Each structure stands twice: as structure tokens, then as C-alpha cells.
Amino acid sequence: VRVNAAARKVWNYTPDELLGEHLASLLARSTVERTRRSLEKIVESGDGQFENIVLCKGGRRKNSLWRVRWSADDRNFYCVVRDVTELRAME
């Protein structure tokens, strides 16, 4: 529904390029199913977090930590996504 302009800085996509896209199209295949299951659990619990790999425009892959809240009233997910690529590389 809405995309923060920071998507350009972090993933190299403009908000307009992301609007209307299915989340799975932005993820590494290896993380799509895990992300789907995590979102299903968040719908039940109201909030949660998970990690996946976002495929950035230009081909770069970024490890991402998602903190998500589900609004039953709005029927929307509200997400804050943090790039944890460097942190995972150090681990």
C-alpha cells in the first residue's frame, strides 16, 4: 500500500517500483516459504519478526531483519526492515 523512500537507499528500488509487487518476487527463493510461514504466524499473534534475503535491484542480496505488526482492522502488515548483511557476515 505504501513504501518508504528509504527503499531506494537500501534496496535500490523506488517506492513506485515496489508498489503492487508481491513480496515473494523480492526475496531469494530459499527464504520465500519461511517468510510466508512467519507472516501467517504474525497474523495469528499480531506481531513478530523474521529474517530473509532481499534481492536488490542490480542483483545484490541483503540479509534483512523484519519487525512486523499485523493490523486486523486495516488488514495490512506494518513492517520495519533492517539491513543486517554486515552483521551476518561478521558472525
PDB file of all heavy atoms in Angstrom, residues 10-42:
ATOM      1  N   VAL A  10      18.307   1.526   0.478  1.00  0.00           N
ATOM      2  CA  VAL A  10      18.686   0.198   0.956  1.00  0.00           C
ATOM      3  C   VAL A  10      18.655  -0.858  -0.151  1.00  0.00           C
ATOM      4  O   VAL A  10      19.558  -1.675  -0.262  1.00  0.00           O
ATOM      5  CB  VAL A  10      17.788  -0.230   2.135  1.00  0.00           C
ATOM      6  CG1 VAL A  10      18.130  -1.617   2.623  1.00  0.00           C
ATOM      7  CG2 VAL A  10      17.910   0.771   3.276  1.00  0.00           C
ATOM      8  N   TRP A  11      17.590  -0.842  -0.966  1.00  0.00           N
ATOM      9  CA  TRP A  11      17.404  -1.897  -1.969  1.00  0.00           C
ATOM     10  C   TRP A  11      17.542  -1.412  -3.409  1.00  0.00           C
ATOM     11  O   TRP A  11      17.431  -2.199  -4.337  1.00  0.00           O
ATOM     12  CB  TRP A  11      16.029  -2.539  -1.812  1.00  0.00           C
ATOM     13  CG  TRP A  11      15.802  -3.223  -0.516  1.00  0.00           C
ATOM     14  CD1 TRP A  11      16.727  -3.765   0.323  1.00  0.00           C
ATOM     15  CD2 TRP A  11      14.533  -3.455   0.108  1.00  0.00           C
ATOM     16  NE1 TRP A  11      16.121  -4.310   1.423  1.00  0.00           N
ATOM     17  CE2 TRP A  11      14.778  -4.138   1.318  1.00  0.00           C
ATOM     18  CE3 TRP A  11      13.224  -3.154  -0.233  1.00  0.00           C
ATOM     19  CZ2 TRP A  11      13.756  -4.523   2.171  1.00  0.00           C
ATOM     20  CZ3 TRP A  11      12.209  -3.544   0.623  1.00  0.00           C
ATOM     21  CH2 TRP A  11      12.479  -4.222   1.810  1.00  0.00           C
ATOM     22  N   ASN A  12      17.727  -0.123  -3.618  1.00  0.00           N
ATOM     23  CA  ASN A  12      17.862   0.483  -4.949  1.00  0.00           C
ATOM     24  C   ASN A  12      16.572   0.480  -5.768  1.00  0.00           C
ATOM     25  O   ASN A  12      16.612   0.658  -6.983  1.00  0.00           O
ATOM     26  CB  ASN A  12      18.991  -0.169  -5.757  1.00  0.00           C
ATOM     27  CG  ASN A  12      20.336   0.043  -5.127  1.00  0.00           C
ATOM     28  OD1 ASN A  12      20.589   1.065  -4.503  1.00  0.00           O
ATOM     29  ND2 ASN A  12      21.204  -0.931  -5.260  1.00  0.00           N
ATOM     30  N   TYR A  13      15.444   0.265  -5.133  1.00  0.00           N
ATOM     31  CA  TYR A  13      14.147   0.364  -5.804  1.00  0.00           C
ATOM     32  C   TYR A  13      13.484   1.674  -5.404  1.00  0.00           C
ATOM     33  O   TYR A  13      13.569   2.084  -4.252  1.00  0.00           O
ATOM     34  CB  TYR A  13      13.202  -0.766  -5.363  1.00  0.00           C
ATOM     35  CG  TYR A  13      13.584  -2.135  -5.814  1.00  0.00           C
ATOM     36  CD1 TYR A  13      14.139  -3.048  -4.920  1.00  0.00           C
ATOM     37  CD2 TYR A  13      13.364  -2.545  -7.123  1.00  0.00           C
ATOM     38  CE1 TYR A  13      14.468  -4.335  -5.313  1.00  0.00           C
ATOM     39  CE2 TYR A  13      13.703  -3.825  -7.528  1.00  0.00           C
ATOM     40  CZ  TYR A  13      14.248  -4.719  -6.621  1.00  0.00           C
ATOM     41  OH  TYR A  13      14.575  -5.976  -7.027  1.00  0.00           O
ATOM     42  N   THR A  14      12.799   2.288  -6.333  1.00  0.00           N
ATOM     43  CA  THR A  14      11.975   3.433  -5.968  1.00  0.00           C
ATOM     44  C   THR A  14      10.692   2.897  -5.341  1.00  0.00           C
ATOM     45  O   THR A  14      10.298   1.747  -5.613  1.00  0.00           O
ATOM     46  CB  THR A  14      11.604   4.288  -7.204  1.00  0.00           C
ATOM     47  OG1 THR A  14      10.750   3.521  -8.060  1.00  0.00           O
ATOM     48  CG2 THR A  14      12.833   4.766  -7.947  1.00  0.00           C
ATOM     49  N   PRO A  15      10.029   3.681  -4.513  1.00  0.00           N
ATOM     50  CA  PRO A  15       8.750   3.226  -3.961  1.00  0.00           C
ATOM     51  C   PRO A  15       7.765   2.806  -5.053  1.00  0.00           C
ATOM     52  O   PRO A  15       7.062   1.808  -4.901  1.00  0.00           O
ATOM     53  CB  PRO A  15       8.255   4.439  -3.169  1.00  0.00           C
ATOM     54  CG  PRO A  15       9.521   5.113  -2.729  1.00  0.00           C
ATOM     55  CD  PRO A  15      10.446   4.953  -3.909  1.00  0.00           C
ATOM     56  N   ASP A  16       7.739   3.526  -6.171  1.00  0.00           N
ATOM     57  CA  ASP A  16       6.823   3.180  -7.265  1.00  0.00           C
ATOM     58  C   ASP A  16       7.128   1.808  -7.857  1.00  0.00           C
ATOM     59  O   ASP A  16       6.227   1.100  -8.297  1.00  0.00           O
ATOM     60  CB  ASP A  16       6.866   4.235  -8.371  1.00  0.00           C
ATOM     61  CG  ASP A  16       6.180   5.529  -7.964  1.00  0.00           C
ATOM     62  OD1 ASP A  16       5.363   5.513  -7.014  1.00  0.00           O
ATOM     63  OD2 ASP A  16       6.466   6.558  -8.592  1.00  0.00           O
ATOM     64  N   GLU A  17       8.389   1.421  -7.877  1.00  0.00           N
ATOM     65  CA  GLU A  17       8.748   0.102  -8.400  1.00  0.00           C
ATOM     66  C   GLU A  17       8.278  -1.018  -7.478  1.00  0.00           C
ATOM     67  O   GLU A  17       8.063  -2.143  -7.937  1.00  0.00           O
ATOM     68  CB  GLU A  17      10.270  -0.006  -8.591  1.00  0.00           C
ATOM     69  CG  GLU A  17      10.799   0.820  -9.725  1.00  0.00           C
ATOM     70  CD  GLU A  17      12.303   0.783  -9.815  1.00  0.00           C
ATOM     71  OE1 GLU A  17      12.984   1.045  -8.796  1.00  0.00           O
ATOM     72  OE2 GLU A  17      12.807   0.498 -10.920  1.00  0.00           O
ATOM     73  N   LEU A  18       8.117  -0.727  -6.200  1.00  0.00           N
ATOM     74  CA  LEU A  18       7.712  -1.751  -5.241  1.00  0.00           C
ATOM     75  C   LEU A  18       6.202  -1.829  -5.035  1.00  0.00           C
ATOM     76  O   LEU A  18       5.682  -2.887  -4.703  1.00  0.00           O
ATOM     77  CB  LEU A  18       8.395  -1.503  -3.891  1.00  0.00           C
ATOM     78  CG  LEU A  18       9.911  -1.661  -3.897  1.00  0.00           C
ATOM     79  CD1 LEU A  18      10.480  -1.264  -2.539  1.00  0.00           C
ATOM     80  CD2 LEU A  18      10.305  -3.081  -4.245  1.00  0.00           C
ATOM     81  N   LEU A  19       5.516  -0.718  -5.240  1.00  0.00           N
ATOM     82  CA  LEU A  19       4.072  -0.704  -5.029  1.00  0.00           C
ATOM     83  C   LEU A  19       3.389  -1.722  -5.937  1.00  0.00           C
ATOM     84  O   LEU A  19       3.640  -1.766  -7.134  1.00  0.00           O
ATOM     85  CB  LEU A  19       3.493   0.684  -5.285  1.00  0.00           C
ATOM     86  CG  LEU A  19       3.756   1.699  -4.184  1.00  0.00           C
ATOM     87  CD1 LEU A  19       3.294   3.084  -4.621  1.00  0.00           C
ATOM     88  CD2 LEU A  19       3.073   1.297  -2.882  1.00  0.00           C
ATOM     89  N   GLY A  20       2.566  -2.561  -5.337  1.00  0.00           N
ATOM     90  CA  GLY A  20       1.826  -3.567  -6.099  1.00  0.00           C
ATOM     91  C   GLY A  20       2.589  -4.848  -6.361  1.00  0.00           C
ATOM     92  O   GLY A  20       2.021  -5.807  -6.868  1.00  0.00           O
ATOM     93  N   GLU A  21       3.865  -4.888  -6.023  1.00  0.00           N
ATOM     94  CA  GLU A  21       4.655  -6.108  -6.217  1.00  0.00           C
ATOM     95  C   GLU A  21       4.367  -7.096  -5.097  1.00  0.00           C
ATOM     96  O   GLU A  21       4.154  -6.713  -3.952  1.00  0.00           O
ATOM     97  CB  GLU A  21       6.151  -5.793  -6.244  1.00  0.00           C
ATOM     98  CG  GLU A  21       6.609  -5.089  -7.477  1.00  0.00           C
ATOM     99  CD  GLU A  21       6.407  -5.902  -8.735  1.00  0.00           C
ATOM    100  OE1 GLU A  21       6.734  -7.111  -8.739  1.00  0.00           O
ATOM    101  OE2 GLU A  21       5.900  -5.333  -9.717  1.00  0.00           O
ATOM    102  N   HIS A  22       4.395  -8.359  -5.422  1.00  0.00           N
ATOM    103  CA  HIS A  22       4.241  -9.397  -4.408  1.00  0.00           C
ATOM    104  C   HIS A  22       5.570  -9.541  -3.680  1.00  0.00           C
ATOM    105  O   HIS A  22       6.638  -9.537  -4.312  1.00  0.00           O
ATOM    106  CB  HIS A  22       3.858 -10.720  -5.072  1.00  0.00           C
ATOM    107  CG  HIS A  22       3.351 -11.726  -4.114  1.00  0.00           C
ATOM    108  ND1 HIS A  22       4.189 -12.484  -3.347  1.00  0.00           N
ATOM    109  CD2 HIS A  22       2.098 -12.078  -3.781  1.00  0.00           C
ATOM    110  CE1 HIS A  22       3.464 -13.285  -2.582  1.00  0.00           C
ATOM    111  NE2 HIS A  22       2.192 -13.053  -2.829  1.00  0.00           N
ATOM    112  N   LEU A  23       5.516  -9.652  -2.373  1.00  0.00           N
ATOM    113  CA  LEU A  23       6.738  -9.739  -1.576  1.00  0.00           C
ATOM    114  C   LEU A  23       7.654 -10.863  -2.055  1.00  0.00           C
ATOM    115  O   LEU A  23       8.873 -10.697  -2.128  1.00  0.00           O
ATOM    116  CB  LEU A  23       6.389  -9.930  -0.098  1.00  0.00           C
ATOM    117  CG  LEU A  23       7.554 -10.107   0.858  1.00  0.00           C
ATOM    118  CD1 LEU A  23       8.488  -8.906   0.821  1.00  0.00           C
ATOM    119  CD2 LEU A  23       7.058 -10.365   2.266  1.00  0.00           C
ATOM    120  N   ALA A  24       7.085 -12.000  -2.411  1.00  0.00           N
ATOM    121  CA  ALA A  24       7.893 -13.149  -2.829  1.00  0.00           C
ATOM    122  C   ALA A  24       8.789 -12.817  -4.024  1.00  0.00           C
ATOM    123  O   ALA A  24       9.871 -13.391  -4.161  1.00  0.00           O
ATOM    124  CB  ALA A  24       7.002 -14.337  -3.144  1.00  0.00           C
ATOM    125  N   SER A  25       8.378 -11.876  -4.862  1.00  0.00           N
ATOM    126  CA  SER A  25       9.191 -11.531  -6.035  1.00  0.00           C
ATOM    127  C   SER A  25      10.456 -10.777  -5.654  1.00  0.00           C
ATOM    128  O   SER A  25      11.364 -10.643  -6.476  1.00  0.00           O
ATOM    129  CB  SER A  25       8.368 -10.711  -7.031  1.00  0.00           C
ATOM    130  OG  SER A  25       8.098  -9.419  -6.518  1.00  0.00           O
ATOM    131  N   LEU A  26      10.530 -10.296  -4.424  1.00  0.00           N
ATOM    132  CA  LEU A  26      11.699  -9.547  -3.956  1.00  0.00           C
ATOM    133  C   LEU A  26      12.654 -10.393  -3.123  1.00  0.00           C
ATOM    134  O   LEU A  26      13.686  -9.897  -2.688  1.00  0.00           O
ATOM    135  CB  LEU A  26      11.256  -8.348  -3.121  1.00  0.00           C
ATOM    136  CG  LEU A  26      10.325  -7.366  -3.805  1.00  0.00           C
ATOM    137  CD1 LEU A  26       9.820  -6.342  -2.805  1.00  0.00           C
ATOM    138  CD2 LEU A  26      11.028  -6.700  -4.966  1.00  0.00           C
ATOM    139  N   LEU A  27      12.290 -11.656  -2.897  1.00  0.00           N
ATOM    140  CA  LEU A  27      13.055 -12.486  -1.973  1.00  0.00           C
ATOM    141  C   LEU A  27      13.829 -13.586  -2.680  1.00  0.00           C
ATOM    142  O   LEU A  27      13.401 -14.091  -3.723  1.00  0.00           O
ATOM    143  CB  LEU A  27      12.112 -13.137  -0.962  1.00  0.00           C
ATOM    144  CG  LEU A  27      11.252 -12.209  -0.129  1.00  0.00           C
ATOM    145  CD1 LEU A  27      10.363 -13.024   0.800  1.00  0.00           C
ATOM    146  CD2 LEU A  27      12.097 -11.218   0.645  1.00  0.00           C
ATOM    147  N   ALA A  28      14.950 -13.975  -2.065  1.00  0.00           N
ATOM    148  CA  ALA A  28      15.674 -15.156  -2.524  1.00  0.00           C
ATOM    149  C   ALA A  28      14.745 -16.357  -2.353  1.00  0.00           C
ATOM    150  O   ALA A  28      14.034 -16.467  -1.351  1.00  0.00           O
ATOM    151  CB  ALA A  28      16.940 -15.341  -1.703  1.00  0.00           C
ATOM    152  N   ARG A  29      14.742 -17.229  -3.337  1.00  0.00           N
ATOM    153  CA  ARG A  29      13.845 -18.399  -3.294  1.00  0.00           C
ATOM    154  C   ARG A  29      13.976 -19.188  -1.990  1.00  0.00           C
ATOM    155  O   ARG A  29      12.997 -19.709  -1.490  1.00  0.00           O
ATOM    156  CB  ARG A  29      14.129 -19.323  -4.463  1.00  0.00           C
ATOM    157  CG  ARG A  29      13.698 -18.772  -5.775  1.00  0.00           C
ATOM    158  CD  ARG A  29      13.939 -19.772  -6.837  1.00  0.00           C
ATOM    159  NE  ARG A  29      12.656 -20.039  -7.476  1.00  0.00           N
ATOM    160  CZ  ARG A  29      12.524 -20.748  -8.555  1.00  0.00           C
ATOM    161  NH1 ARG A  29      13.580 -21.306  -9.100  1.00  0.00           N
ATOM    162  NH2 ARG A  29      11.349 -20.929  -9.093  1.00  0.00           N
ATOM    163  N   SER A  30      15.178 -19.268  -1.475  1.00  0.00           N
ATOM    164  CA  SER A  30      15.414 -20.055  -0.264  1.00  0.00           C
ATOM    165  C   SER A  30      14.711 -19.488   0.966  1.00  0.00           C
ATOM    166  O   SER A  30      14.592 -20.181   1.977  1.00  0.00           O
ATOM    167  CB  SER A  30      16.919 -20.158   0.015  1.00  0.00           C
ATOM    168  OG  SER A  30      17.463 -18.857   0.234  1.00  0.00           O
ATOM    169  N   THR A  31      14.241 -18.246   0.900  1.00  0.00           N
ATOM    170  CA  THR A  31      13.597 -17.634   2.067  1.00  0.00           C
ATOM    171  C   THR A  31      12.111 -17.355   1.877  1.00  0.00           C
ATOM    172  O   THR A  31      11.454 -16.886   2.799  1.00  0.00           O
ATOM    173  CB  THR A  31      14.311 -16.324   2.472  1.00  0.00           C
ATOM    174  OG1 THR A  31      14.185 -15.362   1.426  1.00  0.00           O
ATOM    175  CG2 THR A  31      15.777 -16.567   2.796  1.00  0.00           C
ATOM    176  N   VAL A  32      11.560 -17.671   0.714  1.00  0.00           N
ATOM    177  CA  VAL A  32      10.154 -17.352   0.438  1.00  0.00           C
ATOM    178  C   VAL A  32       9.217 -18.134   1.355  1.00  0.00           C
ATOM    179  O   VAL A  32       8.332 -17.554   1.994  1.00  0.00           O
ATOM    180  CB  VAL A  32       9.805 -17.599  -1.046  1.00  0.00           C
ATOM    181  CG1 VAL A  32       8.305 -17.497  -1.284  1.00  0.00           C
ATOM    182  CG2 VAL A  32      10.547 -16.613  -1.930  1.00  0.00           C
ATOM    183  N   GLU A  33       9.382 -19.428   1.441  1.00  0.00           N
ATOM    184  CA  GLU A  33       8.458 -20.246   2.246  1.00  0.00           C
ATOM    185  C   GLU A  33       8.560 -19.906   3.727  1.00  0.00           C
ATOM    186  O   GLU A  33       7.550 -19.807   4.420  1.00  0.00           O
ATOM    187  CB  GLU A  33       8.728 -21.736   2.018  1.00  0.00           C
ATOM    188  CG  GLU A  33       7.767 -22.650   2.739  1.00  0.00           C
ATOM    189  CD  GLU A  33       6.307 -22.453   2.350  1.00  0.00           C
ATOM    190  OE1 GLU A  33       6.014 -21.983   1.239  1.00  0.00           O
ATOM    191  OE2 GLU A  33       5.434 -22.773   3.182  1.00  0.00           O
ATOM    192  N   ARG A  34       9.761 -19.721   4.215  1.00  0.00           N
ATOM    193  CA  ARG A  34       9.946 -19.345   5.625  1.00  0.00           C
ATOM    194  C   ARG A  34       9.275 -17.998   5.918  1.00  0.00           C
ATOM    195  O   ARG A  34       8.658 -17.812   6.958  1.00  0.00           O
ATOM    196  CB  ARG A  34      11.446 -19.295   5.946  1.00  0.00           C
ATOM    197  CG  ARG A  34      11.738 -18.982   7.396  1.00  0.00           C
ATOM    198  CD  ARG A  34      13.216 -19.025   7.695  1.00  0.00           C
ATOM    199  NE  ARG A  34      13.927 -18.030   6.913  1.00  0.00           N
ATOM    200  CZ  ARG A  34      15.095 -18.241   6.321  1.00  0.00           C
ATOM    201  NH1 ARG A  34      15.687 -19.409   6.399  1.00  0.00           N
ATOM    202  NH2 ARG A  34      15.692 -17.277   5.648  1.00  0.00           N
ATOM    203  N   THR A  35       9.380 -17.070   4.985  1.00  0.00           N
ATOM    204  CA  THR A  35       8.742 -15.765   5.147  1.00  0.00           C
ATOM    205  C   THR A  35       7.228 -15.916   5.172  1.00  0.00           C
ATOM    206  O   THR A  35       6.546 -15.311   6.006  1.00  0.00           O
ATOM    207  CB  THR A  35       9.171 -14.817   4.014  1.00  0.00           C
ATOM    208  OG1 THR A  35      10.591 -14.630   4.102  1.00  0.00           O
ATOM    209  CG2 THR A  35       8.468 -13.471   4.105  1.00  0.00           C
ATOM    210  N   ARG A  36       6.685 -16.735   4.280  1.00  0.00           N
ATOM    211  CA  ARG A  36       5.231 -16.961   4.242  1.00  0.00           C
ATOM    212  C   ARG A  36       4.731 -17.526   5.565  1.00  0.00           C
ATOM    213  O   ARG A  36       3.748 -17.051   6.127  1.00  0.00           O
ATOM    214  CB  ARG A  36       4.864 -17.904   3.091  1.00  0.00           C
ATOM    215  CG  ARG A  36       3.353 -18.078   2.910  1.00  0.00           C
ATOM    216  CD  ARG A  36       3.018 -19.190   1.942  1.00  0.00           C
ATOM    217  NE  ARG A  36       3.470 -20.500   2.378  1.00  0.00           N
ATOM    218  CZ  ARG A  36       2.886 -21.210   3.350  1.00  0.00           C
ATOM    219  NH1 ARG A  36       1.832 -20.746   3.987  1.00  0.00           N
ATOM    220  NH2 ARG A  36       3.360 -22.392   3.690  1.00  0.00           N
ATOM    221  N   ARG A  37       5.433 -18.521   6.091  1.00  0.00           N
ATOM    222  CA  ARG A  37       5.041 -19.118   7.382  1.00  0.00           C
ATOM    223  C   ARG A  37       5.132 -18.095   8.506  1.00  0.00           C
ATOM    224  O   ARG A  37       4.270 -18.048   9.384  1.00  0.00           O
ATOM    225  CB  ARG A  37       5.908 -20.342   7.688  1.00  0.00           C
ATOM    226  CG  ARG A  37       5.553 -21.553   6.862  1.00  0.00           C
ATOM    227  CD  ARG A  37       6.209 -22.828   7.381  1.00  0.00           C
ATOM    228  NE  ARG A  37       7.639 -22.689   7.620  1.00  0.00           N
ATOM    229  CZ  ARG A  37       8.602 -22.989   6.746  1.00  0.00           C
ATOM    230  NH1 ARG A  37       8.288 -23.424   5.545  1.00  0.00           N
ATOM    231  NH2 ARG A  37       9.868 -22.845   7.061  1.00  0.00           N
ATOM    232  N   SER A  38       6.163 -17.277   8.487  1.00  0.00           N
ATOM    233  CA  SER A  38       6.323 -16.244   9.519  1.00  0.00           C
ATOM    234  C   SER A  38       5.173 -15.252   9.474  1.00  0.00           C
ATOM    235  O   SER A  38       4.626 -14.867  10.515  1.00  0.00           O
ATOM    236  CB  SER A  38       7.648 -15.507   9.342  1.00  0.00           C
ATOM    237  OG  SER A  38       8.737 -16.375   9.535  1.00  0.00           O
ATOM    238  N   LEU A  39       4.780 -14.835   8.287  1.00  0.00           N
ATOM    239  CA  LEU A  39       3.674 -13.886   8.167  1.00  0.00           C
ATOM    240  C   LEU A  39       2.354 -14.500   8.618  1.00  0.00           C
ATOM    241  O   LEU A  39       1.532 -13.828   9.242  1.00  0.00           O
ATOM    242  CB  LEU A  39       3.579 -13.365   6.730  1.00  0.00           C
ATOM    243  CG  LEU A  39       4.714 -12.438   6.308  1.00  0.00           C
ATOM    244  CD1 LEU A  39       4.647 -12.162   4.816  1.00  0.00           C
ATOM    245  CD2 LEU A  39       4.712 -11.146   7.108  1.00  0.00           C
ATOM    246  N   GLU A  40       2.158 -15.776   8.344  1.00  0.00           N
ATOM    247  CA  GLU A  40       0.944 -16.455   8.825  1.00  0.00           C
ATOM    248  C   GLU A  40       0.886 -16.445  10.353  1.00  0.00           C
ATOM    249  O   GLU A  40      -0.167 -16.203  10.936  1.00  0.00           O
ATOM    250  CB  GLU A  40       0.894 -17.890   8.306  1.00  0.00           C
ATOM    251  CG  GLU A  40       0.566 -17.992   6.841  1.00  0.00           C
ATOM    252  CD  GLU A  40       0.639 -19.415   6.305  1.00  0.00           C
ATOM    253  OE1 GLU A  40       1.109 -20.326   7.033  1.00  0.00           O
ATOM    254  OE2 GLU A  40       0.222 -19.613   5.143  1.00  0.00           O
ATOM    255  N   LYS A  41       2.015 -16.706  10.989  1.00  0.00           N
ATOM    256  CA  LYS A  41       2.069 -16.684  12.456  1.00  0.00           C
ATOM    257  C   LYS A  41       1.804 -15.278  12.994  1.00  0.00           C
ATOM    258  O   LYS A  41       1.164 -15.108  14.023  1.00  0.00           O
ATOM    259  CB  LYS A  41       3.422 -17.192  12.952  1.00  0.00           C
ATOM    260  CG  LYS A  41       3.607 -18.670  12.767  1.00  0.00           C
ATOM    261  CD  LYS A  41       4.976 -19.109  13.245  1.00  0.00           C
ATOM    262  CE  LYS A  41       5.193 -20.581  12.972  1.00  0.00           C
ATOM    263  NZ  LYS A  41       6.539 -21.022  13.345  1.00  0.00           N
ATOM    264  N   ILE A  42       2.306 -14.275  12.297  1.00  0.00           N
ATOM    265  CA  ILE A  42       2.117 -12.890  12.731  1.00  0.00           C
ATOM    266  C   ILE A  42       0.644 -12.494  12.632  1.00  0.00           C
ATOM    267  O   ILE A  42       0.144 -11.761  13.491  1.00  0.00           O
ATOM    268  CB  ILE A  42       3.046 -11.947  11.947  1.00  0.00           C
ATOM    269  CG1 ILE A  42       4.497 -12.188  12.399  1.00  0.00           C
ATOM    270  CG2 ILE A  42       2.645 -10.489  12.122  1.00  0.00           C
ATOM    271  CD1 ILE A  42       5.544 -11.531  11.543  1.00  0.00           C
TER     272      ILE A  42
END
